[in-house]
Amino acid sequence: MDMIKRRDAQMAYISDDRVCEEQAACRRILQKLNFMDRADFAGIAQVVKELFGKSENAWVNPPFYCDYGTHIEAGKNLFVNYNCTIIDVAKVTIGDNCQLAPNVAIYTAGHPIYPVTRNSGYEYGKAVTIGDNVWIGGNSVICPGVTIGSNTVIGAGSVVTKDIPAWSVAAGNPCRVIRTITDADRRKLFRQEEIDDEAWEDIVTHMEFPEHS
């Protein structure tokens, strides 16, 4: 089995010449993205489409870093803020309406623990899955193999080492569920502050609220 097939099967693999060719193609796209005019919104959107392939209305504030781009499956309306990194050795699936705050890092790559084994050059990737309507706070790290359920908020500075269920507020290192999101949170803005009447009327007029499951 060649190294690309081994990598894509989430087995131990080495980054040989063919693997590096795929990474080089991604870096050429990132070179365009990370050095283009930051005010060229249409141009940035076009390069993001080239990078992710399957995506609808995805937006990335450069700089942004990843290994392949093609291993990132982005849903509708993905927003990625400044200086995010996605090490997409394995597939990273991100649902609709997700937001990544500045400096978020999503890692699928890992290495053997034993030093001699690690020095062989073999590594691996384990897929990360993020549901719909997830907000990941700034400076958070999502580790290999993690699944984050839909409608969840990950607090800033979290290190997510295990799965987080849907409809959760979770934070910390390691990240743990703090509480469940309920209908009582619908009008919350910041801590105990509520959204003002004018904005709230606009929200309820134009938005459809999901059912809890």
Side-chain angles (χ1 to χ4, degrees):
M1 187 181 296
D2 67 38
M3 291 300 170
I4 288 177
K5 290 180 180 178
R6 294 184 65 88
R7 178 201 65 199
D8 293 348
Q10 301 188 60
M11 298 169 64
Y13 80 100
I14 289 177
S15 290
D16 63 5
D17 289 344
R18 289 188 61 207
V19 171
C20 289
E21 285 175 8
E22 292 188 351
Q23 293 181 358
C26 177
R27 293 185 185 195
R28 293 185 188 100
I29 300 172
L30 291 176
Q31 183 77 7
K32 289 191 292 184
L33 176 65
N34 289 334
F35 289 92
M36 66 192 309
D37 182 353
R38 298 294 199 265
D40 184 3
F41 298 136
I44 290 173
Q46 185 59 42
V47 176
V48 169
K49 186 78 172 178
E50 181 184 358
L51 181 66
F52 290 161
K54 181 183 177 183
S55 64
E56 183 178 336
N57 198 34
W59 178 261
V60 173
N61 274 331
F64 173 76
Y65 308 97
C66 63
D67 276 343
Y68 300 94
T70 53
H71 295 172
I72 301 169
E73 184 175 315
K76 299 177 183 177
N77 306 319
L78 171 65
F79 178 80
V80 179
N81 219 325
Y82 302 105
N83 205 42
C84 285
T85 299
I86 301 179
I87 304 299
D88 56 329
V89 169
K91 188 173 183 179
V92 176
T93 304
I94 304 174
D96 295 340
N97 307 310
C98 289
Q99 298 176 328
L100 276 59
N103 301 307
V104 166
I106 300 174
Y107 301 146
T108 68
H111 306 270
I113 292 174
Y114 196 81
V116 176
T117 311
R118 186 169 61 250
N119 293 342
S120 69
Y122 274 91
E123 56 185 306
Y124 63 87
K126 298 297 178 183
V128 168
T129 302
I130 298 170
D132 297 333
N133 309 309
V134 172
W135 173 23
I136 300 177
N139 294 291
S140 294
V141 175
I142 313 301
C143 292
V146 162
T147 294
I148 298 174
S150 294
N151 308 303
T152 284
V153 175
I154 304 296
S158 296
V159 178
V160 187
T161 60
K162 296 181 179 179
D163 294 352
I164 302 294
W167 290 102
S168 297
V169 174
N173 181 7
C175 187
R176 294 183 175 89
V177 174
I178 297 172
R179 66 178 182 88
T180 300
I181 297 171
T182 70
D183 286 344
D185 294 301
R186 285 189 174 188
R187 197 164 172 170
K188 292 287 178 63
L189 183 65
F190 178 69
R191 296 178 179 168
Q192 298 306 312
E193 180 184 348
E194 291 194 339
I195 296 169
D196 65 274
D197 290 341
E198 181 181 3
W200 183 244
E201 182 178 356
D202 186 43
I203 290 169
V204 297
T205 300
H206 296 99
M207 305 301 294
E208 181 177 346
F209 287 87
E211 295 294 330
H212 287 66
S213 57

